[in-house]
Amino acid sequence: MNARMKRLMQLLEQEKIDAVLVAQRYNIRYFSGFTGDTAYLYISKKRQVLMTDSRYTVWAKEEVKDFEIFQTDRAVSYQEKTRQLAEEEKIQCIGFENHAMIYSDVQAFRAKLPDIAWLELDKKLERLRCIKDASELECIAKAEAIGDHAFSHILKELCVGMTEKEAAWEIECAMRKYGAEGLSFETIAVFGKRTAMPHAVPGDARLQKGDFVVMDFGCIYHGYCSDMTRTVVMGEASGRQKDIYETVLRAQLAALSAIKSGMRCCDADAAARNQIEKAGYGQYFGHGLGHSVGLFIHEFPALSPKEEMVLQEGMTETVEPGIYIPDFGGVRIEDLVVVTRNGCENLTKSPKELIQL
Ligand SMILES: [Mn+2]
């Protein structure tokens, strides 16, 4: 039994459940290796079954080694197969992913298995993914390196008159060219006053001299996500732009030098937030400092002011403070790090001193 499955077995013990029904696609991938998007896992102490339909059975047999693979059809649905397994194993309680299943599917399982006690797992399986192993970290580092390449590329392409959509497309093309299999989220490339919106969608605005350019992007490599943000200025930066940029950079560097295993997530957030507050921009930093990254772009735990969880070796975190001033513009600088015993390893290698194009 591999380390991931051992942690899952411990969860069964702790929660006093006989089996889990896994529906969330990244959890399915994490525990079984199956990369398709339509399946359920039934996992008890004795049985590990991947249920999927005829579109995916050949695929599943190639990828999944330690599970029985069952093909559902009109006669034996996911619910009916689960009922049969539960009956054969004489089980009483199944944990299910209440946050990842649609309501009508939950109702269908309950209707077919009326005597089973269904326990809501919330995000307990996601929590089992928070410490990354060496193979996961390798993929995340590679994905982040692709992002670094894309950033060097876009610096050469940005020019007055280019639209936000064109800039986003250049970044995306470069990531694909350097080996990305997809995007980990919709690319953000915004100019000028629109940079005051932390998550704006690229539009038809054209780049002008003196604009801030915020670029937040990431890709997927072997299933794992990357995430980085850089802000540059087209032409010469104004005094106010420089002040905001230097404040965000100081905050980011303060957090990077503070982060290490044993530190609470909220304290990492505070390390950056204090710098921004001290400079008088506290009210313009509305979001948390960062989030973990893995198979999904926003993983647990977050570096938020409310998160008291302690960082551990092997966790990944983004470190992305920002200052956003309505009707003026914003700056965000984001790196992706791996928590180590005495500090953190920065996977993002792109330069951070203010670039004036
Ligand atoms: Mn991020």
Side-chain angles (χ1 to χ4, degrees):
M1 190 180 291
N2 65 36
R4 295 175 187 189
M5 204 54 81
K6 274 186 196 151
R7 289 203 294 277
L8 186 55
M9 290 301 129
Q10 283 166 5
L11 183 75
L12 294 189
E13 287 288 331
Q14 277 165 26
E15 300 296 322
K16 299 184 172 55
I17 45 182
D18 304 311
V20 290
L21 183 71
V22 186
Q24 209 285 331
R25 69 174 296 184
Y26 302 117
N27 287 332
I28 289 173
R29 179 169 182 156
Y30 188 75
F31 291 108
S32 75
F34 180 55
T35 61
D37 64 2
T38 305
Y40 284 99
L41 303 180
Y42 169 95
I43 303 173
S44 69
K45 281 165 200 154
K46 295 205 190 89
R47 301 280 295 268
Q48 300 179 7
V49 182
L50 181 141
M51 300 178 271
T52 189
D53 66 54
S54 64
R55 295 170 300 167
Y56 296 98
T57 40
V58 173
W59 179 349
K61 279 172 189 161
E62 272 180 19
E63 288 182 335
V64 179
K65 296 285 164 263
D66 301 327
F67 282 66
E68 302 166 45
I69 293 166
F70 179 79
Q71 182 177 313
T72 59
D73 54 30
R74 270 174 223 94
V76 185
S77 63
Y78 292 114
Q79 290 79 18
E80 172 58 20
K81 180 63 183 175
T82 307
R83 190 198 65 76
Q84 290 172 7
L85 288 164
E87 191 179 274
E88 286 164 27
E89 295 209 282
K90 297 186 173 48
I91 67 170
Q92 281 147 14
C93 181
I94 301 179
F96 76 106
E97 297 191 282
N98 51 303
H99 68 294
M101 289 175 71
I102 62 172
Y103 185 60
S104 56
D105 286 342
V106 176
Q107 283 178 311
F109 276 97
R110 283 189 191 278
K112 197 69 159 174
L113 295 92
D115 300 326
I116 289 288
W118 292 91
L119 179 85
E120 295 181 359
L121 288 174
D122 296 316
K123 291 195 173 178
K124 292 196 176 77
L125 300 187
E126 276 79 353
R127 284 172 186 253
L128 299 181
R129 301 193 339 233
C130 69
I131 295 175
K132 273 63 183 173
D133 64 33
S135 69
E136 295 183 287
L137 292 174
E138 208 176 296
C139 295
I140 294 167
K142 173 69 182 170
E144 194 69 1
I146 292 171
D148 278 331
H149 281 303
F151 180 64
S152 326
H153 171 78
I154 191 64
L155 286 182
K156 287 179 273 173
E157 299 296 322
L158 284 172
C159 59
V160 168
M162 181 181 223
T163 68
E164 293 174 346
K165 280 194 240 176
E166 286 164 354
W169 178 239
E170 281 294 337
I171 293 169
E172 292 173 11
C173 281
M175 290 195 294
R176 279 286 193 170
K177 203 168 121 194
Y178 289 111
E181 62 205 38
L183 302 176
S184 47
F185 57 91
E186 293 292 321
T187 304
I188 298 170
V190 283
F191 307 152
K193 288 179 181 175
R194 286 167 46 76
T195 56
M197 296 182 275
H199 277 184
V201 174
D204 297 313
R206 289 185 186 277
L207 186 54
Q208 293 172 23
K209 238 181 153 111
D211 277 354
F212 269 138
V213 179
V214 172
M215 294 165 286
D216 184 350
F217 52 95
C219 68
I220 302 174
Y221 182 79
H222 285 198
Y224 283 84
C225 295
S226 70
D227 193 358
M228 66 182 283
T229 307
R230 286 293 183 269
T231 303
V232 302
V233 174
M234 192 69 210
E236 206 182 320
S238 69
R240 192 177 184 200
Q241 283 176 319
K242 282 181 188 161
D243 186 52
I244 294 167
Y245 191 92
E246 294 308 326
T247 304
V248 173
L249 182 56
R250 203 161 53 243
Q252 207 235 10
L253 295 174
L256 288 173
S257 58
I259 288 172
K260 59 177 181 183
S261 73
M263 174 179 239
R264 292 186 308 169
C265 291
C266 55
D267 294 330
D269 177 274
R273 199 166 298 279
N274 288 341
Q275 294 294 327
I276 290 176
E277 282 171 358
K278 241 197 291 177
Y281 293 109
Q283 62 171 306
Y284 301 113
F285 177 25
H287 57 73
L289 180 64
H291 53 89
S292 188
V293 169
L295 289 167
F296 184 51
I297 184 62
H298 292 126
E299 297 213 338
F300 179 83
L303 298 184
S304 108
K306 288 179 290 187
E307 180 57 67
E308 295 190 355
M309 168 136 184
V310 169
L311 289 170
Q312 286 174 264
E313 231 178 316
M315 287 181 178
T316 58
E317 292 292 345
T318 66
V319 181
E320 48 177 314
I323 294 174
Y324 313 93
I325 301 178
D327 215 34
F328 180 75
V331 170
R332 178 166 65 259
I333 305 170
E334 173 182 30
D335 288 346
L336 176 56
V337 307
V338 183
V339 178
T340 60
R341 200 149 61 89
N342 301 314
C344 64
E345 184 197 347
N346 197 335
L347 302 179
T348 318
K349 311 295 183 195
S350 293
K352 286 186 286 195
E353 66 277 7
L354 178 60
I355 296 172
Q356 302 171 79
L357 290 166

